[in-house]
Each structure stands twice: as C-alpha cells, then as structure tokens.
Amino acid sequence: MLTALLDRVPDHSAAAVDGWRAAAVPGRVYPVLMPGTGRVPGRLLTGIATSEWQVLDAFEDDLYDIVRLPLVDGGHAWAYVAPSGSENHEPDWSVREFASRHLADYVAACRKWRAGYRASVMR
C-alpha cells in the first residue's frame, strides 16, 4: 500500500500502543484506532518527507484525526485515530482477513487514488 501511495516504503520498525483497539469500519476494509483496553501492534514509519505527509493526509479522509500517541517502548508517534467522541461498536479489525480477502483490491484502489491525486496537484 505504501508503495502505491508514496512510490516507496519508508524506513519502518515494529511499534505498539496500549489503550487502543483497531476497530473494523462499517462498509470499509480498513481499520480505525479507537480508545480501548488492548494493545495494537503496528509499524512506525520514519524518514517521511513533507510531500509524503501531504499525500498521506490527503489520502486519509475525515474518518481520522492525527494525534501523537505514546508507544509501549517509551517513544511517541503520530497516528491516525478516530475523532474524539466517536463510537464504534464494530468488532476488532482482522489483519489476516484483510490480507487474504482485500489487500490486492485495496492496493489497486490506492494506486488509482494516487493517480487522481497526482493529476489534481499537477494542474
């Protein structure tokens, strides 16, 4: 997905946050971070250029706010999360189900979105 959006995969490492859950989003194949009681594993991306942040911010729609979260290793990271006060009673999102059922189509949709984004910023 990152290659489809940024034309590369930035440097990254394993990371996790406590007190959150990756919730399924009705009608969508991707998750949203919601406050919860669990631990959510993820990837900490580093070395992202300003222009790449602009692409990521444009790609993430109004479903998300970006906030700085404490990581379990003591560091901090910016993350896209559900807006404050949001409610989501959907089950937890499954990375395995996403990978097996939706990943290929999602990457294709990311490529299509990026082509449209490029065309709009080139005007």
Side-chain angles (χ1 to χ4, degrees):
M1 178 193 84
L2 288 169
T3 301
L5 293 174
L6 304 178
D7 296 327
R8 72 183 189 101
V9 176
D11 291 340
H12 58 279
S13 59
V17 293
D18 281 335
W20 294 84
R21 70 184 193 95
V25 177
R28 302 185 188 198
V29 298
Y30 47 83
V32 64
L33 281 180
M34 303 281 305
T37 59
R39 174 174 284 184
V40 179
R43 307 302 293 167
L44 175 64
L45 304 178
T46 55
I48 299 175
T50 300
S51 61
E52 292 171 324
W53 268 115
Q54 291 168 339
V55 170
L56 294 174
D57 285 340
F59 179 74
E60 301 297 357
D61 59 22
D62 293 339
L63 177 66
Y64 301 102
D65 285 343
I66 189 165
V67 299
R68 192 168 184 247
L69 296 179
L71 301 175
V72 298
D73 69 1
H76 288 82
W78 292 101
Y80 292 97
V81 304
S84 180
S86 296
E87 290 188 22
N88 181 321
H89 302 288
E90 296 297 315
D92 286 349
W93 179 77
S94 168
V95 69
R96 284 190 178 114
E97 179 180 343
F98 174 78
S100 68
R101 295 181 61 202
H102 305 290
L103 182 58
D105 289 339
Y106 188 72
V107 170
C110 289
R111 283 191 185 101
K112 183 177 178 181
W113 178 90
R114 177 60 193 241
Y117 176 80
R118 280 185 181 149
S120 73
V121 296
M122 298 297 280
R123 289 182 203 176

